Amino acid sequence: MPADIALAQGDFLVGDIDGNVRQVLDIAAKARDELGAAAVIFPELCICGYPPEDLLLRPEFLADVEAGLAHICKQTEGIDLVIGYPRRKKGQLYNAAGVIRSGAVIAEYFKAELPNYSVFDEKRYFMRGEAPCVVTIAGVPMGITICEDIWKARPAAQAAAAGARMILNLNASPYQAGKGKEREQVVSQRARENGLPVVYVNLVGGQDELVFDGASFVVDAGGKTLLRSAFFGPSLEVLSLEDGQPQPGVVTPCPDEEEMIYRALVLGVRDYVGKTGFKGVVLGLSGGIDSALTLAVAVDALGPEQVEVVLMPSRYTADMSNEDALEQARRMGVKHSIIPIEPAFKAFLGMLEEEFAGQPMDVTEENIQARCRGIILMAISNKSGRMLLTTGNKSEMSVGYATLYGDMAGGFAPLKDVFKTMVYRLSRWRNRDGEVIPERVIVRPPSAELRPDQQDTDSLPPYDVLDEILSRYVEQDQGVAEIVAAGFDQALVRRITRMVDVNEYKRRQAPPGVKVTRRAYGRDRRYPIVNGY
Amino acid sequence: MPADIALAQGDFLVGDIDGNVRQVLDIAAKARDELGAAAVIFPELCICGYPPEDLLLRPEFLADVEAGLAHICKQTEGIDLVIGYPRRKKGQLYNAAGVIRSGAVIAEYFKAELPNYSVFDEKRYFMRGEAPCVVTIAGVPMGITICEDIWKARPAAQAAAAGARMILNLNASPYQAGKGKEREQVVSQRARENGLPVVYVNLVGGQDELVFDGASFVVDAGGKTLLRSAFFGPSLEVLSLEDGQPQPGVVTPCPDEEEMIYRALVLGVRDYVGKTGFKGVVLGLSGGIDSALTLAVAVDALGPEQVEVVLMPSRYTADMSNEDALEQARRMGVKHSIIPIEPAFKAFLGMLEEEFAGQPMDVTEENIQARCRGIILMAISNKSGRMLLTTGNKSEMSVGYATLYGDMAGGFAPLKDVFKTMVYRLSRWRNRDGEVIPERVIVRPPSAELRPDQQDTDSLPPYDVLDEILSRYVEQDQGVAEIVAAGFDQALVRRITRMVDVNEYKRRQAPPGVKVTRRAYGRDRRYPIVNGY
């Protein structure tokens, strides 16, 4: 007997229970009426969005989720829903998936494997479940699992032992480079271990520092990918079952690494700005590559009408920088203003003359320039209702090569988790079909232009060396000895790792940005500021 | 047979393994040679400090802890040590306490109850232990437990069942108002349940947002407090045992609430500034009560020579504000400068004239003033190497009544977790033996002085009402309906709770401050910024 199930790869907003309930009902109606599906599978914690964080500690919030679930039950018929939500039971909270049929929750599964590493804090909120849950849906006994469950062997094996002929896996799995491939490998292995097909449904959309990339998929009992949904966008795919066997569908090809990261940044910016209700963005365009790439991402995320740039030259700004910035603003079709910072910079130097009498110029005066720009940009942000985007990259954020309240000011930092070497790769990639970032911006030696003839390499090694050391130290937890053994200069490694450590205080005050690597700054990396190591 | 054990209430710096090892050896030698103790009990994770956070994910760090432990073993004899450290075993990490005797670890206990709520993330790092550990020390079979273990019934009961005649409890328990009393009640109950005395040894010192208050204590088998160490300072108390029974010692009286909070703030500031290596602090003194109290705390923490204040009047600053600020600077004996912000404010208005043409003045211009002050203060901080202290309180931080990169700028925010009503109480308390904060600063209606005749109550309810709503919402997780039911206006409660929610983005970029309530902003409260609830 043929039967179809639908994979509801949706964007469910954290906390917006009413909106999520409406979306669930709309999707369920569409899956039933337009697609003829017998069941529709939603992502993990879809009624409240993921991750709800400490909203889960509010009894009022949990009661509202329960009311939302009851409303869904009452409003759906003619189709089965498998859907995720937080569930209170006997004084404990569980990360649950319920099967809704004919107006009632007919079965419930509680997530067994609770991730409590990286960005995840699930043991802060949830008790682990113990029992498998197998329910016949669309004529097939299906074992329900949630996200992390499929990364361990036990939950799927328990479901198989309990009679499952197919595994459903509800996810809220955030993007990071290479994760898509890893997911399919793990799920494929799980399928082969149990000789069962697996249906993997993921969330999509940006939430604070996370981007959920969608890319839901189905593997057959042999672990072969039969179907793959869109990346970085909502979709409602149908999986056909014939005699209980999933049939091949559309397999969306995997984009290459640059495209994946770039699209993650675009979605992250679009959703952070849109979901916080801002009317577009403003950013400082310096003529350097970081702000150039940030502008391209912003325009691709929001459209040129929603993006405004400000050129803020100082006495140290090269003409070339202004020319390149103007040229890019023109190419991207965005509004621009030019506001030289000299009057404010001069005013501050005058106001501080007595206080600083007899002391030489140092980084203080460089920071004042960066902070004058921060004030101008924040003023435009405040007046226009546009969010300020910060343009710094992960290499800078790592070593503290950025000014707090200056170029670090802003609501969102798109490149926060993108190393400088990747900034170059993404810029080249964005120029593939036409040069939107002027070539000269890409090939010029990078400079902060805060004093005469300054270049980044005055105080930092070349970025390919720096980024390799940083990646080993920050993302791979390697120690100094290990990095030196890989062929780097010991004094350099000591200096760089020390810079990372002592700049923790700056990162603590940095705006959020999109996680794209295996370890981003933010919830993902929890370091002490006071640190004697 | 008489025997003594020593309670080593020390300040062990996170990450400073070498320094902590030296301190352990010094304390052990002193306990043995000067105090004649048979054993000395150290706090939880004392070799690496608490909380080490993601340093625990570095294999190099764990190896260095192991080397430190081996060094301690080699260097001590003639006294038993009970000491906490992270311990790798069969690919897992445990929060361990070892008994060191005659050069070797003769027994090890692994913490069973791992806190993963509030500021704690122990399940991120550690596996739970299962077995009790009873070792005869100073002639008495002692059951070892670690911190959270004593808050649950099982670990002490397991130790008792395994033959313990006394319970040792190694802690790193951070201060919050009322916690000292709660600890002694819980430990007293545990003593009575098992009919065993309990020795509770706590860490002392500030670490990022936490202050460990010390106040180690001993209760007898009936739950009565026999001994209590100093609050907010290191100590090495000796507990006498006669025929295995603990004898009464000095019981330090518990200070009242204002004194406890004030001393927590002082220690928090002293340690944050000292442990990060700054040469004192600078802060903006406005003539308002928040900066007045912050100044008093800073001077009590660091001494007047290490503190510098800056008065930064604007066109909207009342003469009274300058007079009161000057008077307080004089009374506290700190260096002061006066830098009016008008030149920079004017420069920015001029630079933005074209951009803002035809648009009315609004909060933008208020923020520019606050940010001009931020630039001045950060410039002085950069030039002098003094850390900028932020003066905002918890009420402001809750509702966003503060300017990002303006008055929120700074390395540390002493009053971040202190509600405005408590700011008044602490100011009165600090004036108890002589008026250091001018009376007029306390009695004047509070104002941000960012526009003519502005008062806080223009846009906020009276602080006693505001703080009660905030405490219920933020600290007690009450919902709107519940707060309204307690007698507050519904529209007001909705407006205030909404302000708390939408200002999460500001708090995410705020500097750290000392946790003194049951829920502080920071690691203690993890909320989404994008939040549709």
Side-chain angles (χ1 to χ4, degrees):
Chain A
M1 200 187 84
D4 293 345
I5 64 173
L7 283 59
Q9 176 175 302
D11 179 356
F12 298 93
L13 178 62
V14 163
D16 183 17
I17 298 166
D18 292 347
N20 294 339
V21 165
R22 273 195 305 276
Q23 196 187 164
V24 164
L25 294 175
D26 289 348
I27 291 172
K30 187 174 173 192
R32 180 191 59 202
D33 302 337
E34 297 177 27
L35 306 177
V40 53
I41 319 301
F42 289 91
E44 177 179 17
L45 292 187
C46 125
I47 296 180
C48 63
Y50 192 95
E53 302 191 270
D54 282 5
L55 285 169
L56 291 171
L57 304 180
R58 306 199 87 88
E60 187 188 32
F61 182 75
L62 298 173
D64 287 344
V65 169
E66 286 158 10
L69 176 63
H71 186 71
I72 292 172
C73 288
K74 217 166 50 186
Q75 298 292 317
T76 43
E77 52 178 353
I79 186 165
D80 289 354
L81 274 57
V82 184
I83 188 166
Y85 48 85
R87 169 79 156 89
R88 291 189 284 195
K89 192 174 176 182
K90 294 185 184 162
Q92 302 289 358
L93 191 65
Y94 296 90
N95 183 336
V99 180
I100 299 174
R101 177 178 295 164
S102 310
V105 175
I106 60 156
E108 254 179 354
Y109 171 76
F110 296 158
K111 188 175 184 176
E113 299 292 340
L114 300 172
N116 206 67
Y117 56 84
S118 177
V119 299
F120 303 108
D121 278 322
E122 291 200 16
K123 291 183 181 172
R124 183 174 171 91
Y125 310 107
F126 299 116
M127 280 289 286
R128 61 176 296 155
E130 302 286 346
C133 175
V134 179
V135 182
T136 297
I137 296 169
V140 181
M142 299 204 183
I144 300 172
T145 61
I146 301 177
C147 208
E148 189 80 359
D149 286 334
I150 207 75
W151 293 74
K152 306 286 166 70
R154 213 176 70 129
Q158 277 187 312
R165 302 302 306 141
M166 189 180 298
I167 303 291
L168 300 181
N169 185 235
L170 285 65
N171 290 271
S173 178
Y175 172 73
Q176 70 188 42
K179 184 127 167 232
K181 195 170 282 180
E182 205 185 338
R183 275 183 209 139
E184 291 196 28
Q185 283 166 352
V186 167
V187 170
S188 170
Q189 187 190 330
R190 216 54 74 228
R192 281 178 277 119
E193 278 168 16
N194 297 287
L196 296 180
V198 182
V199 175
Y200 181 104
V201 179
N202 198 14
L203 186 66
V204 74
Q207 171 64 31
D208 288 1
E209 304 212 295
L210 304 180
V211 165
F212 298 92
D213 50 334
S216 301
F217 62 93
V218 178
V219 298
D220 67 16
K224 194 178 146 238
T225 301
L226 294 176
L227 178 157
R228 187 185 300 122
S229 301
F231 290 81
F232 301 109
S235 82
L236 185 61
E237 289 293 329
V238 164
L239 174 71
S240 288
L241 304 179
E242 282 185 21
D243 300 322
Q245 290 307 309
Q247 303 300 306
V250 174
V251 180
T252 308
C254 296
D256 63 20
E257 190 176 23
E258 285 88 346
E259 180 179 344
M260 287 287 277
I261 294 176
Y262 192 87
R263 289 174 67 184
L265 301 178
V266 167
L267 183 56
V269 169
R270 183 185 299 144
D271 278 2
Y272 193 81
V273 174
K275 291 176 177 179
T276 52
F278 272 80
K279 297 180 271 179
V281 297
V282 56
L283 61 100
L285 201 65
S286 69
I289 195 166
D290 297 319
S291 59
L293 181 63
T294 305
L295 173 57
V297 168
V299 168
D300 290 339
L302 306 165
E305 306 75 24
Q306 302 306 315
V307 181
E308 166 178 355
V309 299
V310 189
L311 282 66
M312 293 168 292
S314 78
R315 52 179 82 169
Y316 305 120
T317 304
D319 290 342
M320 201 200 308
S321 303
N322 290 324
E323 291 160 16
D324 291 347
L326 280 174
E327 175 61 19
Q328 197 198 353
R330 197 189 56 70
R331 289 186 193 179
M332 310 278 322
V334 298
K335 180 191 163 190
H336 77 270
S337 327
I338 304 178
I339 304 181
I341 60 166
E342 189 66 19
F345 183 42
K346 239 190 197 146
F348 280 115
L349 293 181
M351 290 155 71
L352 288 161
E353 201 168 5
E354 197 176 330
E355 181 83 17
F356 291 169
Q359 298 187 69
M361 302 270 269
D362 58 15
V363 74
T364 305
E365 286 75 15
E366 299 186 23
N367 285 339
I368 291 175
Q369 295 168 63
R371 290 184 180 127
C372 284
R373 294 194 175 104
I375 288 193
I376 292 288
L377 291 167
M378 285 302 295
I380 294 173
S381 168
N382 287 164
K383 193 69 95 183
S384 66
R386 291 184 154 166
M387 180 185 288
L388 173 56
L389 292 185
T390 313
T391 61
N393 62 62
K394 188 174 189 175
S395 311
E396 291 176 1
M397 201 56 54
S398 300
V399 296
Y401 201 73
T403 301
L404 257 180
Y405 324 131
D407 51 310
M408 284 179 67
F412 201 66
L415 307 185
K416 185 180 180 185
D417 198 32
V418 180
F419 282 126
K420 188 81 169 189
T421 43
M422 181 58 77
V423 169
Y424 283 104
R425 284 173 58 191
L426 295 179
S427 298
R428 290 256 174 240
W429 179 84
R430 183 59 185 82
N431 274 358
R432 73 201 180 290
D433 301 322
E435 189 182 292
V436 294
I437 299 172
E439 179 66 14
R440 198 163 63 173
V441 171
I442 302 181
V443 298
R444 270 180 86 179
S447 166
E449 297 195 320
L450 292 168
R451 57 173 187 266
D453 304 320
Q454 186 177 28
Q455 290 201 1
D456 290 9
T457 47
D458 296 347
S459 48
L460 294 175
Y463 279 110
D464 54 341
V465 173
L466 177 66
D467 289 355
E468 178 72 21
I469 294 172
L470 292 173
S471 167
R472 287 170 180 272
Y473 187 63
V474 175
E475 295 175 9
Q476 299 167 55
D477 286 323
Q478 293 187 7
V480 170
E482 203 173 352
I483 301 174
V484 170
F488 294 89
D489 176 68
Q490 183 165 46
L492 178 66
V493 174
R494 278 197 195 288
R495 187 164 70 87
I496 297 301
T497 56
R498 172 89 186 134
M499 286 169 92
V500 174
D501 292 345
V502 300
N503 282 292
E504 181 57 28
Y505 78 99
K506 281 194 191 177
R507 289 188 291 270
R508 202 66 73 88
Q509 295 190 39
V514 185
K515 171 177 163 73
V516 297
T517 69
R518 55 177 289 178
R519 183 171 293 149
Y521 295 117
R523 289 272 198 275
D524 200 6
R525 184 178 188 268
R526 304 179 191 176
Y527 259 67
I529 297 176
V530 170
N531 178 3
Y533 190 55
Chain B
M1 200 188 85
D4 291 346
I5 64 173
L7 283 57
Q9 175 175 304
D11 180 355
F12 299 92
L13 178 62
V14 164
D16 184 17
I17 298 165
D18 292 346
N20 294 338
V21 164
R22 275 194 304 274
Q23 197 187 162
V24 165
L25 294 174
D26 289 348
I27 291 172
K30 186 173 174 194
R32 180 192 57 203
D33 302 336
E34 297 178 27
L35 306 176
V40 53
I41 321 299
F42 289 90
E44 177 179 17
L45 292 188
C46 125
I47 296 180
C48 64
Y50 192 93
E53 300 190 272
D54 282 6
L55 285 169
L56 291 172
L57 304 181
R58 308 198 85 89
E60 185 187 33
F61 182 75
L62 298 172
D64 287 345
V65 170
E66 286 158 9
L69 176 62
H71 186 73
I72 292 172
C73 288
K74 216 164 51 186
Q75 298 291 319
T76 43
E77 51 178 352
I79 187 165
D80 290 353
L81 275 55
V82 184
I83 189 165
Y85 48 85
R87 169 79 156 89
R88 290 189 285 194
K89 191 173 177 183
K90 295 185 184 161
Q92 302 289 358
L93 191 67
Y94 296 90
N95 183 336
V99 180
I100 299 174
R101 178 178 296 164
S102 310
V105 175
I106 60 155
E108 253 178 357
Y109 171 76
F110 296 158
K111 188 175 185 176
E113 300 291 341
L114 301 172
N116 206 68
Y117 55 84
S118 179
V119 300
F120 304 107
D121 277 322
E122 291 200 16
K123 292 181 181 172
R124 183 175 171 90
Y125 310 108
F126 299 116
M127 279 290 287
R128 59 176 297 154
E130 301 286 346
C133 174
V134 178
V135 183
T136 297
I137 296 170
V140 181
M142 299 204 184
I144 300 171
T145 60
I146 301 177
C147 207
E148 188 80 0
D149 286 333
I150 207 77
W151 292 75
K152 304 288 165 67
R154 215 177 69 131
Q158 277 187 312
R165 301 304 305 140
M166 190 179 298
I167 303 291
L168 300 180
N169 185 234
L170 285 65
N171 290 272
S173 177
Y175 172 73
Q176 70 188 41
K179 185 129 168 231
K181 195 169 283 181
E182 206 185 337
R183 275 182 208 138
E184 291 196 28
Q185 283 166 351
V186 167
V187 170
S188 170
Q189 187 191 329
R190 214 55 74 229
R192 282 177 277 119
E193 279 168 14
N194 297 286
L196 296 180
V198 182
V199 176
Y200 181 107
V201 179
N202 199 13
L203 186 66
V204 74
Q207 171 64 30
D208 287 0
E209 304 213 296
L210 304 180
V211 165
F212 298 92
D213 51 334
S216 301
F217 62 94
V218 177
V219 298
D220 68 15
K224 195 179 146 238
T225 300
L226 293 178
L227 176 158
R228 186 185 301 122
S229 302
F231 289 80
F232 302 109
S235 84
L236 184 62
E237 290 292 331
V238 164
L239 174 71
S240 290
L241 303 179
E242 281 182 23
D243 300 323
Q245 289 307 308
Q247 303 301 306
V250 175
V251 179
T252 309
C254 295
D256 62 20
E257 189 175 22
E258 285 89 347
E259 180 179 345
M260 287 287 277
I261 294 176
Y262 192 88
R263 289 174 66 184
L265 300 179
V266 167
L267 183 56
V269 169
R270 183 185 299 143
D271 278 2
Y272 193 82
V273 173
K275 291 177 178 179
T276 52
F278 273 78
K279 295 179 271 179
V281 297
V282 55
L283 61 101
L285 200 65
S286 69
I289 194 165
D290 297 319
S291 58
L293 181 63
T294 305
L295 173 58
V297 168
V299 168
D300 290 340
L302 306 165
E305 305 75 24
Q306 303 305 315
V307 181
E308 165 178 358
V309 297
V310 189
L311 282 65
M312 293 168 292
S314 78
R315 54 179 82 170
Y316 305 121
T317 305
D319 290 342
M320 199 200 308
S321 303
N322 289 325
E323 291 160 18
D324 291 347
L326 280 174
E327 176 61 20
Q328 198 198 353
R330 197 189 57 72
R331 289 186 193 179
M332 309 281 319
V334 297
K335 178 190 163 190
H336 77 271
S337 328
I338 305 178
I339 304 181
I341 60 167
E342 189 66 18
F345 184 43
K346 239 190 196 144
F348 281 114
L349 294 181
M351 289 156 71
L352 288 161
E353 202 168 5
E354 197 176 331
E355 181 83 16
F356 291 168
Q359 297 187 69
M361 303 268 272
D362 58 15
V363 73
T364 305
E365 286 75 15
E366 299 185 21
N367 285 339
I368 291 175
Q369 295 168 64
R371 292 184 178 127
C372 285
R373 295 193 175 104
I375 288 192
I376 292 287
L377 291 166
M378 284 302 296
I380 293 172
S381 167
N382 287 164
K383 193 70 94 183
S384 66
R386 291 184 154 166
M387 181 184 289
L388 172 58
L389 292 185
T390 312
T391 61
N393 62 61
K394 187 175 191 175
S395 311
E396 291 176 0
M397 200 55 57
S398 299
V399 297
Y401 203 73
T403 301
L404 257 180
Y405 324 132
D407 50 310
M408 284 177 68
F412 201 65
L415 307 185
K416 186 180 180 184
D417 199 32
V418 180
F419 281 125
K420 187 81 171 190
T421 43
M422 181 58 78
V423 169
Y424 283 104
R425 284 173 58 191
L426 295 179
S427 298
R428 290 256 174 240
W429 179 85
R430 183 59 186 82
N431 274 358
R432 73 201 180 289
D433 300 323
E435 189 182 292
V436 294
I437 298 172
E439 179 67 13
R440 199 163 60 173
V441 171
I442 301 181
V443 298
R444 271 181 86 179
S447 165
E449 297 193 323
L450 292 169
R451 56 173 188 265
D453 305 320
Q454 185 178 28
Q455 290 201 1
D456 290 9
T457 46
D458 296 347
S459 48
L460 294 175
Y463 279 110
D464 55 341
V465 173
L466 177 67
D467 288 355
E468 179 72 21
I469 294 173
L470 291 174
S471 166
R472 288 170 180 270
Y473 187 64
V474 175
E475 294 176 9
Q476 299 167 54
D477 286 323
Q478 292 187 6
V480 170
E482 202 171 353
I483 302 173
V484 170
F488 295 89
D489 176 68
Q490 183 166 45
L492 178 66
V493 174
R494 279 197 194 288
R495 187 164 70 87
I496 298 302
T497 55
R498 172 88 186 135
M499 287 169 91
V500 174
D501 292 344
V502 301
N503 283 293
E504 180 58 28
Y505 78 99
K506 281 192 190 178
R507 290 188 292 269
R508 201 68 72 88
Q509 296 189 40
V514 185
K515 172 178 163 74
V516 297
T517 69
R518 57 177 286 181
R519 184 171 293 150
Y521 294 117
R523 288 271 197 276
D524 200 5
R525 185 178 188 267
R526 303 178 191 177
Y527 258 66
I529 298 175
V530 169
N531 177 2
Y533 190 54

